[in-house]
Amino acid sequence: MCGIVGAVAERNVTAILLEGLKRLEYRGYDSAGVALFSNAGVLERRRRVGKVNELEQSLAGDPLAGRLGIAHVRWATHGAPTEQNAHPHFSNGELAVVHNGIIENHESLRERLQGLGYVFTSDTDTEVIAHLLHHKLRDIPDLAAALKATVKELHGAYGLAVISAKQPDRLVAARSGSPLVVGLGLGENFLASDQLALRQVTDRFMYLEEGDIAEIRRDSVQIWTAAGLPVEREVVQYREGAEAADKGEFRHFMLKEIHEQPKVVQRTLEGRLGQEQVLVQAFGPQAAELFAKVRNVQIVACGTSYHAGMVARYWLEGLAGIPCQVEVASEFRYRKVVVQPDTLFVSISQSGETADTLAALRNAKLRSPKEGGFLASLAICNVGISSLVRESDLTLLTQAGPEIGVASTKAFTTQLVALMLLTLSVGQVQGSLEPGVEAELVEELRRLPTRLGEALAMDSTVEKVAELFAEKSHTLFLGRGAQFPVAMEGALKLKEISYIHAEAYPAGELKHGPLALVDSDMPVVTVAPNNELLEKLKSNLQEVRARGGELIVFADEQAGLNDGTGTHVISMPHIVDALAPILYTIPLQLLSYYVAVLKGTDVDQPRNLAKSVTVE
Ligand code: AGP
């Protein structure tokens, strides 16, 4: 998704801006650009379709230099990914603007500004911001003050940064619905949509809050709230993640992140397990009192995080006896929802900035419990400073560390761990768990990092299996019970990074339609732990074999499934059934990774996708 970097310094900032853009590449984008207030006293810009590399090469051949600048990577929403539509956008050669988000009323603003004589050179919604600000500057000469007046007329979401040739000692910024962070240097200051972009120049940050306007000069930062009142934002020293922007010994970030799972699962459990119990206070001081009141759980999330929620439904209902509904945020946010009394709203998100999930949370908070609203909100999130965390009543942070690969891997397994902690906490407080279950699962959770390590040791076996997929165009993924969402996640991974069409079904649904697709060209991937559904699953697998379908089965070592013609069984270490969804995710991640490598796709930045979907 789009990314912003800005800098005001006494040195040339071109290299800082380019390095910042490179660090944002993981978010997914289709063009890149930079604008500088040049030493000749004018605004100059360079934009390129494609990777930051191409922008860098162009600048190497024909350099731009300046001590004030903004830069952007764009993921097209309004207007095709062309050079004309790439940011920064100019107004009258005097202003340059970069913008993340969507301006919903851009059409009416465009008409009005055209009526005032402004000429548009792009199809973007962003260009209206540049011209509207230019227009405001006629009556309000100060750049920050004019920006305050401008954003009052914008509907939608934005994180934006502006520089002006007439006030070249500052850059100004505004945040509403799209994150921005100020980086503090010595005699120089910076701005970015993600602190990772600025890690090479500083480790001190100020996070802008919703509605904030900022004026950033070399030696000062001034911030105003949406109401126009001056405000101080806390300075945060950022240490974590220094190693995250480095692939280390691995060929791709995705593979590195898959292999980090034992470590980050361990971290997610740290300080949250007692001798035989989950420590409920890990969810916050008021969690125990709140969990005692919970009669229902509503989970809302997108993509991989939604799949984690689907697994949690089996756990909350099966282990804790709490009714649970799960819905994708883009549907939930626009639905007239009937809320059962005492329902806990749980949002799950790696980034904590996903537009649909945030909007769903905001809608959920509109009504108090007395007005038929939710009891409270809980965020399961990987980013402690995210909007989702700030706006929720309770939080449990997954400790996955920064995830760079667009395809979510370690975020998913740590979400599952967090959701198991939630299940056991609610069950514990309500006394609804079967005797001994909590102590057994706490013990098994402690062993989980080792189990994940064992599954990762299957790396080269799975790499071989991947060869079966290299020439295929379609696949089916099957699972039963809590393994059905695992199959969904496996299918999502395969389609997003290898571009092979993959569908997931509960294995029992096969004969109600999808079986018609099965032939020798359709590999069928199945996850088969040793549980009470195993015999049923085996019958479903027979249905596939009888139609000539090739089976790839990740099966418990005690499942009694063996290799045979058209059947490839990959033996998995035994694990207690409740934690099987976490373990069986690992070979599916490895499978999609190795298929993508064989197909030669861009594993870490698959086409058309963005890491954090901050627009609708
Ligand atoms: C999956 O690999 C994707 N990264 C995607 O489905 C992702 O899970 C979704 O966009 C939600 O993101 P979030 O967890 O940051 O809210």
Side-chain angles (χ1 to χ4, degrees):
M1 202 105 306
C2 302
I4 289 173
V5 193
V8 51
E10 234 178 322
R11 51 176 165 157
N12 177 18
V13 295
T14 315
I16 296 171
L17 297 177
L18 279 175
E19 176 59 25
L21 290 187
K22 283 187 199 159
R23 286 165 179 257
L24 294 178
E25 284 193 292
Y26 75 94
R27 294 166 68 92
Y29 66 100
D30 38 51
S31 57
V34 59
L36 290 139
F37 178 68
S38 77
N39 298 337
V42 289
L43 287 181
E44 294 189 67
R45 77 178 153 187
R46 187 74 44 80
R47 300 177 291 175
R48 285 291 176 272
V49 174
K51 299 282 177 192
V52 175
N53 233 346
E54 296 181 33
L55 178 66
E56 190 175 29
Q57 274 170 21
S58 154
L59 288 167
D62 180 12
L64 290 183
R67 284 173 274 184
L68 170 73
I70 49 177
H72 191 260
V73 280
R74 172 175 187 254
W75 187 74
T77 56
H78 293 67
T82 60
E83 197 168 309
Q84 259 190 336
N85 288 334
H87 300 209
H89 289 285
F90 276 10
S91 183
N92 290 22
E94 180 190 324
L95 294 174
V97 176
V98 289
H99 162 227
N100 291 355
I102 289 176
I103 304 304
E104 286 167 0
N105 57 335
H106 70 102
E107 277 174 2
S108 56
L109 286 173
R110 179 181 275 253
E111 269 173 36
R112 204 176 102 208
L113 289 159
Q114 278 168 335
L116 290 166
Y118 285 97
V119 177
F120 281 76
T121 59
S122 77
D123 304 320
T124 64
D125 50 339
T126 303
E127 201 180 348
V128 300
I129 306 172
H131 295 317
L132 185 59
L133 178 59
H134 185 269
H135 180 63
K136 295 282 177 201
L137 279 161
R138 289 182 185 179
D139 299 327
I140 312 170
D142 177 73
L143 191 57
L147 183 62
K148 283 179 210 164
T150 301
V151 296
K152 286 203 174 103
E153 295 192 32
L154 304 179
H155 302 163
Y158 52 82
L160 61 92
V162 184
I163 56 173
S164 159
K166 291 203 172 152
Q167 298 174 54
D169 56 344
R170 69 198 76 174
L171 69 92
V172 295
R175 173 200 165 139
S176 179
S178 197
L180 282 179
V181 57
V182 177
L184 304 170
L186 288 175
E188 54 187 16
N189 286 316
F190 312 94
L191 178 84
S193 48
D194 181 330
Q195 74 275 4
L196 262 185
L198 302 178
R199 288 284 296 123
Q200 85 278 18
V201 280
T202 184
D203 61 0
R204 291 189 312 131
F205 298 100
M206 258 183 210
Y207 298 93
L208 297 190
E209 300 207 351
E210 281 298 278
D212 280 359
I213 304 274
E215 181 187 83
I216 301 153
R217 299 177 187 235
R218 275 202 307 104
D219 46 12
S220 67
V221 175
Q222 209 171 344
I223 301 175
W224 297 268
T225 63
L229 302 171
V231 65
E232 300 263 322
R233 296 288 174 219
E234 191 192 347
V235 177
V236 179
Q237 190 103 15
Y238 187 81
R239 301 220 171 275
E240 193 199 351
E243 83 288 4
D246 180 6
K247 287 195 270 254
E249 69 197 81
F250 295 96
R251 188 166 160 198
H252 294 101
F253 280 111
M254 183 182 178
L255 189 61
K256 176 186 176 222
E257 289 160 3
I258 289 173
H259 280 272
E260 279 172 357
Q261 289 175 110
K263 183 177 77 191
V264 296
V265 160
Q266 175 81 50
R267 264 194 226 154
T268 303
L269 290 169
E270 259 159 29
R272 290 164 175 175
L273 297 180
Q275 196 70 11
E276 295 194 329
Q277 284 195 318
V278 172
L279 303 175
V280 179
Q281 61 270 35
F283 290 85
Q286 73 279 44
E289 195 187 333
L290 239 153
F291 288 172
K293 296 184 194 150
V294 171
R295 294 287 159 263
N296 295 278
V297 171
Q298 170 71 62
I299 297 178
V300 174
C302 301
T304 292
S305 300
Y306 166 70
H307 296 154
M310 297 258 302
V311 173
R313 179 176 171 209
Y314 287 89
W315 289 342
L316 280 159
E317 298 202 342
L319 295 170
I322 301 288
C324 175
Q325 298 194 55
V326 191
E327 191 164 348
V328 287
S330 54
E331 284 301 311
F332 181 88
R333 66 179 288 192
Y334 288 116
R335 214 161 56 74
K336 206 165 166 194
V337 178
V338 179
V339 183
Q340 294 293 328
D342 299 319
T343 300
L344 177 68
F345 180 90
V346 178
S347 59
I348 309 171
S349 173
Q350 188 284 126
S351 60
E353 301 294 348
T354 300
D356 285 322
T357 310
L358 262 176
L361 168 67
R362 287 172 185 157
N363 286 354
K365 288 175 65 179
L366 287 178
R367 285 180 294 168
S368 73
K370 282 195 186 120
E371 296 160 329
F374 288 94
L375 176 66
S377 55
L378 163 68
I380 307 262
C381 188
N382 195 37
V383 182
I385 45 156
S386 63
S387 307
L388 202 71
V389 167
R390 281 205 300 269
E391 295 179 30
S392 297
D393 302 319
L394 301 177
T395 300
L396 191 73
L397 289 180
T398 51
Q399 301 290 347
E403 193 180 58
I404 307 289
V406 164
S408 220
T409 52
K410 59 178 181 168
F412 180 65
T413 42
T414 51
Q415 283 168 350
L416 290 179
V417 168
L419 288 159
M420 177 51 87
L421 295 178
L422 174 67
T423 303
L424 295 177
S425 296
V426 176
Q428 179 198 120
V429 169
Q430 302 210 356
S432 58
L433 299 165
E434 292 283 325
V437 162
E438 186 170 16
E440 185 199 1
L441 286 177
V442 163
E443 198 45 45
E444 290 292 336
L445 281 169
R446 281 205 180 89
R447 287 196 204 117
L448 185 60
T450 311
R451 292 290 154 78
L452 297 178
E454 287 162 19
L456 286 166
M458 296 160 53
D459 188 292
S460 50
T461 312
V462 181
E463 186 174 5
K464 264 224 91 21
V465 173
E467 289 167 18
L468 297 169
F469 294 76
E471 303 301 322
K472 305 291 185 200
S473 311
H474 306 275
T475 57
L476 277 180
F477 281 71
L478 301 179
R480 295 196 75 130
Q483 297 297 336
F484 166 50
V486 171
M488 291 173 79
E489 175 58 10
L492 177 66
K493 286 287 89 82
L494 189 69
K495 75 180 96 167
E496 70 182 323
I497 62 167
S498 73
Y499 317 147
I500 292 178
H501 174 219
E503 292 297 334
Y505 280 93
E509 270 294 293
L510 203 57
K511 53 185 158 309
H512 298 290
L515 201 54
L517 293 170
V518 172
D519 60 17
S520 57
D521 255 349
M522 171 76 95
V524 178
V525 182
T526 311
V527 272
N530 192 2
N531 60 20
E532 75 281 2
L533 292 169
L534 181 64
E535 290 311 314
K536 306 260 176 226
L537 183 69
K538 283 182 181 170
S539 313
N540 302 140
L541 300 187
Q542 288 311 318
E543 294 161 10
V544 173
R545 274 307 300 139
R547 273 89 193 164
E550 188 154 25
L551 283 170
I552 293 91
V553 192
F554 295 96
D556 186 288
E557 57 199 12
Q558 298 158 12
L561 279 158
N562 298 311
D563 265 357
T565 318
T567 305
H568 311 266
V569 178
I570 301 99
S571 183
M572 295 284 295
H574 180 68
I575 189 160
V576 63
D577 192 41
L579 301 188
I582 309 178
L583 189 76
Y584 280 72
T585 295
I586 304 279
L588 300 190
Q589 293 171 343
L590 287 169
L591 181 65
S592 62
Y593 172 76
Y594 284 115
V595 175
V597 168
L598 279 175
K599 298 202 74 139
T601 56
D602 190 344
V603 172
D604 285 331
Q605 293 165 39
R607 68 186 183 199
N608 307 338
L609 297 182
K611 181 65 187 162
S612 178
V613 184
T614 50
V615 293
E616 248 193 286

